[in-house]
Amino acid sequence: MTVRPAECFSGFKQTSKLFVLGVFCLALITFMMIFKAYARQDSGTKECIPIRMSFIQPWGDEYFPNPRLWRSELLAHQRLGIEEVILQWTMWGSDLQDEIKLPLWLEAAIMGADEAGAKLWFGLRYDPTFMEKLQKDGQTYLDNRLAETEKLATAIKAQISYTAHPTEVFAGWYIPDEIDGNLLLDSKLRKLVTGYTKQTRAILNHILPGPVAISGYTDLKTIPRKLATQWNKLMAKSSMDILLLQDGLGAKLMEPYSSRNLQRAISAAFSTQDHTVIPVVEIFEIDPRTADFSTIPTTLGTMKSRLKNARFSPAQPLALFSLSSHILKFDNKHSRDIKEFLTENAHICGRNTLANAESAE
């Protein structure tokens, strides 16, 4: 077909307009995608990760016997956004005491917390032979533990009462007998532990009322939903308030996928209950250079992925294991990177809290 020049030119202009319009739309779409990507990155850096707690393992009777050292330690935690510190135990060892004499470091910790304005969770005795004695002596062993717990909690309450702000120092109680999956799935042992934790909570709340936390871990050799169901039953029957569930990633007990499946199952099981779960993010790795179980700080990237792995909502509180051992008392690139990240996160959380308070007014 023959086309006249004018018609050809008109068609060319129309085609050119469509082409220019298409290029403009493509450029606009590309720009919007890039802008959204940057916006997501920016919002990610400004998100407050609510890290509520971190653990301290006070090895030895003379651990920090000076209140000023404890004050400095707890202020360092606060600068990294941690207002609550869990003393994993206040007694350590398999020999129970008829008469309780608090270690010097515990008295110093209480005084230091009062001066720093920090809150402490008080662990009870940690017995490294707990499982062995539970299987061998059963209820007799647990009765002896309960008797000591009553004396220990009474002594701790008395020591707290000497501070200027006793209600502010005390955050709650912590049962350090770590309940693993194998114990929880053994019906006989589970029954013993359920009664023991229920009686422990009753004793503690009679002496000094407050929330009671217990910790658990697993290598997940069973179905997550099954383990979550048993944890839910234990928490409900014993009236426990908080389950501190270790993610098992630093200790190489689990992989990220299996750890997240367990966290998801327990979060779902607890969602309609009064008790809650706080994931404990392990910020360490096993040191391959040592024969025993020695640990070193993990990388910042790994820590971030573990924080993300443990959260199912923006408000999900987390605990760390642990700042004292792997950041404040360790100096390498990884520890410095994590310290910088947590300092920034603390500032973000502080700004968000201030903004929320202002908007509420």
Side-chain angles (χ1 to χ4, degrees):
M1 181 176 65
T2 304
V3 181
R4 286 178 292 182
E7 293 175 342
C8 180
F9 182 72
S10 176
F12 174 77
K13 288 198 298 181
Q14 187 67 21
T15 303
S16 298
K17 288 179 180 178
L18 292 173
F19 176 77
V20 171
L21 182 61
V23 170
F24 175 78
C25 290
L26 181 61
L28 181 61
I29 292 171
T30 302
F31 174 79
M32 291 177 65
M33 291 177 65
I34 294 173
F35 177 80
K36 286 183 178 180
Y38 276 114
R40 282 196 298 269
Q41 291 176 7
D42 185 60
S43 63
T45 59
K46 292 184 178 179
E47 180 188 20
C48 166
I49 301 175
I51 302 172
R52 177 176 169 181
M53 310 163 168
S54 186
F55 285 76
I56 288 181
Q57 291 183 320
W59 295 102
D61 291 339
E62 297 301 316
Y63 185 92
F64 277 13
N66 188 324
R68 288 178 296 175
L69 293 178
W70 272 103
R71 178 180 180 275
S72 176
E73 173 90 350
L74 295 169
L75 287 174
H77 277 78
Q78 290 175 334
R79 286 192 289 270
L80 299 180
I82 308 299
E83 298 293 338
E84 300 177 26
V85 169
I86 303 171
L87 302 177
Q88 190 162 1
W89 51 72
T90 51
M91 295 285 182
W92 192 97
S94 57
D95 296 328
L96 306 186
Q97 295 185 14
D98 292 327
E99 295 184 10
I100 297 297
K101 182 180 179 182
L102 297 181
L104 292 177
W105 68 259
L106 180 56
E107 298 178 13
I110 292 171
M111 294 173 63
D114 187 43
E115 294 175 5
K119 289 184 172 294
L120 297 178
W121 288 77
F122 291 88
L124 305 174
R125 172 179 293 279
Y126 178 75
D127 182 356
T129 63
F130 173 76
M131 180 65 78
E132 176 187 337
K133 290 182 178 177
L134 181 64
Q135 292 172 324
K136 180 182 177 183
D137 300 325
Q139 191 60 49
T140 301
Y141 167 66
L142 295 178
D143 288 342
N144 292 333
R145 288 289 305 274
L146 291 168
E148 187 193 62
T149 291
E150 186 170 10
K151 298 171 187 174
L152 177 58
T154 301
I156 291 174
K157 178 186 177 181
Q159 190 64 41
I160 294 173
S161 69
Y162 295 140
T163 64
H165 313 92
T167 57
E168 296 178 20
V169 169
F170 177 71
W173 298 104
Y174 171 66
I175 301 175
D177 301 307
E178 297 175 325
I179 311 301
D180 69 5
N182 294 327
L183 189 158
L184 203 59
L185 296 175
D186 183 305
S187 59
K188 179 181 178 182
L189 296 180
R190 184 174 66 246
K191 183 178 179 180
L192 287 170
V193 168
T194 301
Y196 165 66
T197 52
K198 182 178 181 178
Q199 290 176 280
T200 299
R201 188 185 190 280
I203 290 170
L204 295 174
N205 274 270
H206 175 71
I207 295 169
L208 183 57
V212 182
I214 191 169
S215 68
Y217 69 96
T218 183
D219 56 8
L220 203 63
K221 292 180 179 177
T222 187
I223 301 171
R225 286 195 299 267
K226 185 177 180 181
L227 192 57
T229 298
Q230 295 303 332
W231 263 119
N232 194 30
K233 289 180 179 178
L234 173 65
M235 297 289 289
K237 290 180 180 179
S238 60
S239 300
M240 285 290 112
D241 300 290
I242 296 173
L243 168 62
L244 292 160
L245 184 67
Q246 292 184 232
D247 66 10
L249 299 178
K252 304 302 181 187
L253 292 175
M254 286 193 285
E255 296 299 324
Y257 179 77
S258 59
S259 178
R260 186 162 178 81
N261 278 347
L262 178 62
Q263 299 281 6
R264 182 185 290 112
I266 290 182
S267 293
F270 284 22
S271 61
T272 59
Q273 305 296 327
D274 293 332
H275 44 260
T276 187
V277 59
I278 297 181
V280 180
V281 177
E282 297 174 352
I283 60 173
F284 62 83
E285 304 290 350
I286 299 173
D287 190 345
R289 300 166 298 181
T290 58
D292 59 348
F293 188 84
S294 297
T295 57
I296 54 177
T298 191
T299 66
L300 176 59
T302 299
M303 177 186 173
K304 286 182 177 180
S305 68
R306 290 178 184 173
L307 291 172
K308 183 178 180 181
N309 190 69
R311 297 176 70 204
F312 293 93
S313 71
Q316 171 71 62
L318 301 172
L320 300 180
F321 197 94
S322 66
L323 286 184
S324 182
S325 300
H326 302 102
I327 307 302
L328 300 180
K329 294 183 177 62
F330 215 105
D331 186 26
N332 67 5
K333 181 182 183 304
H334 300 327
S335 63
R336 291 191 294 271
D337 287 346
I338 292 175
K339 187 175 183 180
E340 182 179 348
F341 167 76
L342 291 174
T343 301
E344 181 184 5
N345 184 66
H347 290 158
I348 292 168
C349 293
R351 288 199 301 268
N352 289 356
T353 301
L354 181 60
N356 291 337
E358 290 176 347
S359 62
E361 294 176 357

